[in-house]
Amino acid sequence: MKKWLIIASILVLCFIGFVSGAYIKALQPKKEAGNEAFKKAKEEGGLVTMEEFYLYNGQDSYSVIIGEGEKGTKKIVWLPEDKKKEIVVENYKDGKSKKEIMNIVKEKLNPQKIISVKLGMEKNVPLWEVTYLDESERFNYDYYDFKTGEWLKYYRSI
């Protein structure tokens, strides 16, 4: 009986190790993309530290980095994948925070669950993309202007 317990324990530990290794390996490309984006944000946007990193895929793809600038101010840098588009740099305090956007969504939409809130860019407008489950448990994507927090009605919910 002890042998079976030991064998079962070893198998469970091996399974946990395998799953953990696969998970870490799966996250590696995002980590590498974040490091590359931070290097570019340091050069182009004047960031010194990186606090958060988002990959945004809409009509265009952007890497978005939140961090501190040289003077200690919190900044956001939107790096477009398309080299022809301009890099956008904004002060974090000049727009709505993630927490403020979540409060707006909770008040107006009363979602069952907010899944994610991330920064992005559409039609040269910095925005917050909110993914949530509505009361019917359907996925929805709503977009809010970064500066004003207003709902951007020219995007549709899915």
Side-chain angles (χ1 to χ4, degrees):
M1 183 69 170
K2 284 184 181 180
K3 285 182 183 179
W4 288 109
L5 269 170
I6 292 170
I7 290 171
S9 298
I10 290 171
L11 289 175
V12 167
L13 289 173
C14 287
F15 178 74
I16 290 171
F18 176 75
V19 169
S20 298
Y23 180 75
I24 290 168
K25 189 167 181 104
L27 290 179
Q28 192 64 28
K30 184 178 179 185
K31 188 175 181 178
E32 288 172 5
N35 291 337
E36 282 296 314
F38 178 57
K39 284 180 191 174
K40 191 165 185 176
K42 279 170 76 172
E43 295 168 8
E44 305 282 334
L47 288 186
V48 178
T49 65
M50 179 171 67
E51 294 174 20
E52 294 180 61
F53 170 70
Y54 301 104
L55 282 174
Y56 177 79
N57 293 303
Q59 288 179 336
D60 295 306
S61 295
Y62 283 84
S63 295
V64 185
I65 299 98
I66 300 174
E68 274 192 24
E70 294 167 354
K71 297 178 182 174
T73 57
K74 196 170 183 180
K75 290 182 162 188
I76 305 170
V77 179
W78 283 265
L79 299 167
E81 189 176 282
D82 183 356
K83 306 295 182 208
K84 296 174 189 168
K85 295 197 176 271
E86 285 188 35
I87 294 171
V88 176
V89 180
E90 294 279 348
N91 287 325
Y92 191 82
K93 67 179 171 76
D94 292 342
K96 297 291 182 184
S97 70
K98 185 176 189 175
K99 191 173 189 174
E100 289 173 312
I101 294 297
M102 288 177 75
N103 288 335
I104 290 169
V105 170
K106 286 176 185 175
E107 281 178 27
K108 291 187 177 183
L109 302 172
N110 193 27
Q112 186 177 41
K113 180 181 180 183
I114 295 177
I115 297 174
S116 72
V117 179
K118 66 180 181 178
L119 286 163
M121 177 88 65
E122 290 290 348
K123 300 179 183 175
N124 296 321
V125 176
L127 55 79
W128 286 101
E129 178 190 65
V130 181
T131 308
Y132 63 95
L133 290 176
D134 65 11
E135 56 283 339
S136 301
E137 295 188 8
R138 292 178 297 197
F139 269 88
N140 288 275
Y141 296 89
D142 276 0
Y143 301 90
Y144 294 85
D145 188 283
F146 167 72
K147 291 187 178 181
T148 65
E150 291 181 30
W151 177 60
L152 299 173
K153 60 185 170 219
Y154 49 84
Y155 300 103
R156 64 180 179 87
S157 295
I158 296 175

